[in-house]
Amino acid sequence: MAEQSTVFIIDDDEAVRDSLSWLMKSAGLLAETFASADAFLNDYREDRPGCLILDIRMPGMNGLELQSVLKERRYRLPIIIISGHADVPMAVRALKAGAFDFIEKPFNDELLLGHVQRAIEQDRHRREDMAALYQWRARLDTLTPREREVLDLVVAGASNKKISGELGVSTKTVEAHRARVMEKLQAESLSHLVRMVISAREG
Amino acid sequence: MQRQLFALLLFLFLPLAQASQPITIGVLSHRGDEATLAHWSGTADYLTEVLPDYRFSIVPLAFEEVTPAVEGEKVDFILVNPAIYVNLEVRYRVSRIATMRNRWGDDAYNTFGGVIFARAERYDLNSLSDLKGGTLLAVNESSLGGYMMALREFKAAGIEPYRDLRDVSFAGTHDKVVMAVRNGRVDAGTVRTDILERMAEEGQINLNEFRIINEQTGEDFPLLRSTRLYPEWPFSKVRHTSNLLARQVSVALAEMPEDHPAALLGNYAGWTIPLDYQPVHDLLQELLLPPYQYSRQFTLLDVWQRYWAWLFSGLILLLIMGGLTTWVLRLNRELSHAKQRLEQRHALILDSVADGIYGVDTQGNSTFVNRAMEEITGWKADELIGKNQHYLLHHTRADGTPFPGQECPVYHTFRDDKPRYVDDDIFWRKDGSSIPVEYSSTPIRDDNGKVNGAVVVFRDITERKKAAEEARQHQMELAHVSRLSTMGEMASGIAHELNQPLSAISNYTHGSIRMLKSGQEGIRRELIEVMERVASQAERAGEIIRQLRRFIRKEEPERNAVDINQLIRELVNFLQPELQKAGVELQLQLEQGMPLLWAHDIQLEQVLLNLTRNAIEAMQELPKSSRRLLIRSSVLQTEVEVLVEDSGQGIDEAMRESIFEPFITTKTQGMGLGLSISRAIVEDHGGTLLLDSAAGQGTRLRIILPIEQRGA
């Protein structure tokens, strides 16, 4: 599918971000480096998958601030916080604010790469789910109001007879609506239809 | 011209006139001056004739003129009625030389009386009591025949004229009395005997016009009368008149023939030897008249009448004095109240002050004390007043040495008359404990401005000292904490700084290893590049370490002269609460006269604090009774030793080797830096920190510092 995942590295220390980029490359991952949070924000587009490695202590906008900006913009890129040992309280705050993980300098490369892999995986899943959801919503929008009513009653477990009673139409008409709904939503079976409706609600 | 001639003649005859000495005879002029001169000039001429060396003349005297004339020696002889005579006799030593013989027709008699009469048609008036409610006219209050004699008769009849009669008045002369009665202006009158007869003879009245009241008869007295008889007028000499002249006049009068023209002119019949005037005395006594006005029983009224002016003045004076006394008493009472109030206020002020206040006299004894003084010192006022304050309160200095009285600042105050303030001293309580105090001592002066003692105001400064100590402790703790936190921050800063190159190195090398393991082709150039970056990151770490060293060297502390004993005392003061809390018994053995050290006092204090705290903590497990801490200072030849020894468990052999290493600790809480820092500080001062310990025998740490000269 679409684009390959990228590891976005933000650290004010050039050696650190360069060495991280080298480490990612050695593991076969694409990496892009930024010297500041602002530089990243100027460059990044939401549709680019991957994860973020963020130094919590930086001049200008620090890691925590960037995290809240991303949250405001509804960018859901997973964030791995890196920090020196004295920054534990800040790291805890970052985690509470929804960071994916937190790792102390200097890094254990296996550990860091493991986190990065998992973060990329999570991001990919999320993006697939989102795509499915958008597709579903697009299909749902093709239903007429009457078909929506029939769909809601079907998912609620009502029989055709009951639906015809509720809507004041014949059973035959109900069956015709139902067939249109199944077709428009590309549902293979009743159970498939119900599952899709429920997962779309949860998303 | 004629006048001048007369004057000349008078002048020529003057020596002749001088030859005859003028002699005056005062005569009571009871019938008027003209009548008097007419009656008595003959008698004067007679005497001048008989005694040619003298020239006698008559001076008529009204009743009121008699006494002044005698008193002022205006007359040489006096011819007055017997009552006046008696008075003059008593008061002015006048003495009678002859008594007149009165003449009536062919008879001569030497007594007379008074006659009370009314108009003849007043048939209602017969006895004296008939006159009650009526009016009476008399000659004069001093007239014997013309008033007193009648008065005596009224009184004898039980009548008080002034009370019982409507009016008693006086006309001045006999003749006026007679005429007033005749004219009906009064009911009755009284005159001496013979006045009526003579006036009738002279044709002025007719005897038939009158009736006599209480008429008396008998005693061979020819004239109308209403009273008893009294001796006739005496001729008397005044005191200054010579006895010789008096005798000559007396003889001349006695020898005057009964029918001498002078006697005829005077309506008398010559003179006899002076009579006894006792009846007159009786009368005057009875009537309580002068000179007997005092002889009656004195009644309060009399006293009042006679002395009212005196009594009144006396009374006024008494009232004024009473008033004054009351005023003075009240003033005194008010003053004493005011004084009392002042004293009360004084005492109230003194007692409400929280500071102790007491007075000291020049003997050094307390003169007064206030309540705060009693409360602070535990001594009662009566135990202090009159006692030597220095030996009660001030006998020993804070360091335990005796405080001689000669050095007491309070005594210096009144010796040199200068106020003093001592901000840190101790006073001793009754129970033997001491109180830290600050006090002022101010000289007090008596009314003459001479210093007669001092007032001492003192304050218990336990709280102040405690607060200062707490502030100091707080400050020390702050300094300690800030030192620690600086260290902490620095450590964290260093960690971060070092972390950056280390992280980079770690990332580069791990990445390279991964690359090499994967066996990719054509990465050699790239790997060399990365290895160069690794090397430069290692250099970066080295530079950080170098910078750190430079930074530490910059903090070279300043040194100054330090009294190690003073430092130890301050530390002990600072740690007092901790020692007490830990139940540690502290023993201080400080050698006197320690040399000053050239050192950084805060650092040395830090070392002492570390060692002492370690010692206190090392004894936590022990029973309280065996927690003992010894701090001892002493001088070794060229060094100073401070020893800190506890009675704790000691340090086992294994630990002993590494106890000075950083981050090695026997304590559950602690960084393990205390001893290592302490050793570093001591060594920095050119000294050594030694450990002397055996397990179970307590720990002994010895700080040995060289005695260095400044700048050495």
Side-chain angles (χ1 to χ4, degrees), chain A residues 13 15 18 25 105 107 109, chain B residues 500 508 514 526 533 540:
Chain A
D13 191 311
D18 185 59
K25 193 179 172 188
K105 293 180 200 170
F107 319 109
D109 63 326
Chain B
Q500 302 295 105
Y508 282 132
R514 213 172 277 276
E526 212 170 352
R533 288 182 209 160
R540 179 184 170 193

Side-chain angles (χ1 to χ4, degrees), chain B residues 666-700:
Chain B
T666 57
K667 293 184 279 191
T668 48
Q669 288 182 326
M671 287 179 74
L673 284 173
L675 278 179
S676 68
I677 289 174
S678 296
R679 171 173 266 185
I681 290 171
V682 172
E683 285 174 354
D684 197 36
H685 280 83
T688 45
L689 180 60
L690 302 173
L691 172 69
D692 227 4
S693 178
Q697 282 188 9
T699 307
R700 171 189 286 189

Side-chain angles (χ1 to χ4, degrees), chain B residues 576-590:
Chain B
Q576 203 61 48
E578 271 177 63
L579 288 166
Q580 265 171 15
K581 202 172 150 199
V584 172
E585 184 197 317
L586 173 73
Q587 202 185 350
L588 268 187
Q589 291 177 2
L590 305 182

Side-chain angles (χ1 to χ4, degrees), chain A residues 123-135:
Chain A
D123 184 56
R124 192 166 57 239
H125 282 304
R126 187 186 61 80
R127 284 176 194 278
E128 284 168 6
D129 290 348
M130 285 303 289
L133 191 61
Y134 286 134
Q135 198 178 29

Side-chain angles (χ1 to χ4, degrees), chain B residues 129-419:
Chain B
S129 56
D130 293 337
L131 272 172
K132 283 185 181 175
T135 56
L136 176 71
L137 185 66
V139 178
N140 186 291
E141 253 190 317
S142 306
S143 172
L144 181 63
Y147 176 59
M148 292 182 192
M149 289 183 190
L151 184 58
R152 188 181 189 191
E153 300 309 323
F154 272 113
K155 290 204 176 201
I159 297 163
E160 283 291 340
Y162 281 108
R163 183 189 70 198
D164 299 330
L165 270 60
R166 197 171 82 231
D167 184 45
V168 178
S169 52
F170 301 93
T173 63
H174 292 267
D175 296 38
K176 284 182 184 168
V177 172
V178 176
M179 298 318 285
V181 173
R182 200 180 86 156
N183 295 342
R185 273 181 35 223
V186 293
D187 295 327
T190 180
V191 294
R192 60 163 285 161
T193 52
D194 88 1
I195 293 293
L196 287 175
E197 285 87 349
R198 285 185 203 283
M199 285 179 74
E201 197 180 5
E202 289 162 9
Q204 292 182 49
I205 57 164
N206 191 326
L207 283 179
N208 295 333
E209 288 174 289
F210 303 98
R211 58 189 298 115
I212 307 304
I213 298 163
N214 191 40
E215 184 167 12
Q216 303 289 310
T217 54
E219 291 197 52
D220 197 18
F221 191 79
L223 300 169
L224 294 166
R225 66 181 170 106
S226 304
T227 72
R228 277 164 270 199
L229 290 170
Y230 300 88
E232 259 294 356
W233 288 28
F235 194 103
S236 318
K237 89 179 231 329
V238 179
R239 195 180 169 196
H240 72 269
T241 307
S242 73
N243 285 331
L244 173 65
L245 175 59
R247 205 157 43 241
Q248 286 172 331
V249 170
S250 169
V251 171
L253 289 173
E255 284 176 351
M256 182 194 276
E258 211 173 286
D259 51 358
H260 189 278
L264 291 175
L265 198 64
N267 271 321
Y268 61 88
W271 302 84
T272 65
I273 52 159
L275 293 182
D276 177 14
Y277 281 83
Q278 190 57 45
V280 180
H281 282 275
D282 291 346
L283 173 142
L284 292 174
Q285 252 171 336
E286 221 167 280
L287 295 183
L288 300 168
L289 287 169
Y292 297 107
Q293 74 267 46
Y294 309 124
S295 61
R296 60 173 161 170
Q297 254 192 328
F298 250 36
T299 63
L300 276 175
L301 191 66
D302 294 329
V303 172
W304 177 245
Q305 277 170 347
R306 184 166 174 77
Y307 297 114
W308 69 269
W310 286 105
L311 282 171
F312 192 67
S313 331
L315 203 67
I316 297 280
L317 206 70
L318 213 67
L319 280 172
I320 291 172
M321 277 178 62
L324 273 173
T325 310
T326 316
W327 181 68
V328 167
L329 280 174
R330 219 174 58 202
L331 202 68
N332 195 36
R333 205 169 51 228
E334 276 172 17
L335 276 173
S336 76
H337 276 166
K339 185 168 172 259
Q340 211 177 340
R341 272 201 303 277
L342 261 179
E343 279 172 356
Q344 278 173 354
R345 192 174 308 163
H346 195 73
L348 190 70
I349 291 169
L350 269 184
D351 285 347
S352 55
V353 172
D355 294 349
I357 302 175
Y358 67 96
V360 184
D361 63 18
T362 47
Q363 312 302 306
N365 298 327
S366 306
T367 51
F368 67 85
V369 307
N370 73 341
R371 193 176 297 153
M373 165 102 183
E374 292 180 311
E375 281 163 9
I376 297 170
T377 63
W379 293 97
K380 291 279 157 237
D382 51 358
E383 295 168 318
L384 287 163
I385 290 170
K387 305 279 163 49
N388 188 305
Q389 57 94 29
H390 184 80
Y391 293 106
L392 286 180
L393 298 170
H394 220 180
H395 46 78
T396 309
R397 292 187 206 269
D399 59 9
T401 58
F403 198 160
Q406 310 87 274
E407 293 173 23
C408 181
V410 174
Y411 297 160
H412 285 303
T413 299
F414 49 72
R415 289 206 191 109
D416 63 10
D417 191 12
K418 281 188 187 118

Side-chain angles (χ1 to χ4, degrees), chain B residues 437-609:
Chain B
V437 292
E438 61 180 352
Y439 62 92
S440 67
S441 175
T442 311
I444 42 177
R445 295 179 179 76
D446 61 16
D447 297 339
N448 302 320
K450 198 167 159 269
V451 174
N452 64 356
V455 173
V456 179
V457 180
F458 67 93
R459 181 175 297 175
D460 182 342
I461 54 168
T462 309
E463 289 304 315
R464 192 193 81 182
K465 288 200 101 172
K466 211 169 107 186
E469 205 47 68
E470 276 168 6
R472 215 182 87 85
Q473 180 162 359
H474 183 65
Q475 211 171 352
M476 268 187 79
E477 275 167 5
L478 258 180
H480 186 65
V481 165
S482 88
R483 234 172 288 141
L484 278 181
S485 66
T486 304
M487 256 164 61
E489 270 172 34
M490 212 163 78
S492 131
I494 294 163
H496 184 76
E497 285 293 308
L498 283 174
N499 252 339
Q500 302 295 105
L502 288 177
S503 300
I505 290 167
S506 164
N507 292 340
Y508 282 132
T509 47
H510 282 301
S512 301
I513 291 165
R514 213 172 277 276
M515 286 285 196
L516 291 168
K517 275 184 180 166
S518 70
Q520 279 184 56
E521 293 299 320
I523 55 164
R524 207 177 141 219
R525 276 176 71 92
E526 212 170 352
L527 275 175
I528 291 169
E529 212 174 286
V530 166
M531 282 307 141
E532 277 167 358
R533 288 182 209 160
V534 169
S536 91
Q537 287 306 304
E539 275 164 26
R540 179 184 170 193
E543 185 55 34
I544 289 167
I545 304 286
R546 270 192 298 282
Q547 275 176 357
L548 180 64
R549 279 207 171 138
R550 271 205 297 281
F551 175 71
I552 289 169
R553 210 164 290 131
K554 235 187 288 176
E555 257 203 317
E556 185 70 16
E558 275 183 40
R559 297 189 183 190
N560 43 30
V562 175
D563 175 356
I564 191 76
N565 282 354
Q566 179 63 26
L567 217 58
I568 293 169
R569 273 194 287 267
E570 279 174 20
L571 176 86
V572 167
N573 253 336
F574 171 61
L575 282 176
Q576 203 61 48
E578 271 177 63
L579 288 166
Q580 265 171 15
K581 202 172 150 199
V584 172
E585 184 197 317
L586 173 73
Q587 202 185 350
L588 268 187
Q589 291 177 2
L590 305 182
E591 187 169 321
Q592 294 297 306
M594 292 284 281
L596 295 180
L597 297 173
W598 191 246
H600 187 270
D601 52 355
I602 304 280
Q603 287 190 340
L604 282 192
E605 196 166 6
Q606 183 72 47
V607 172
L608 288 166
L609 185 69

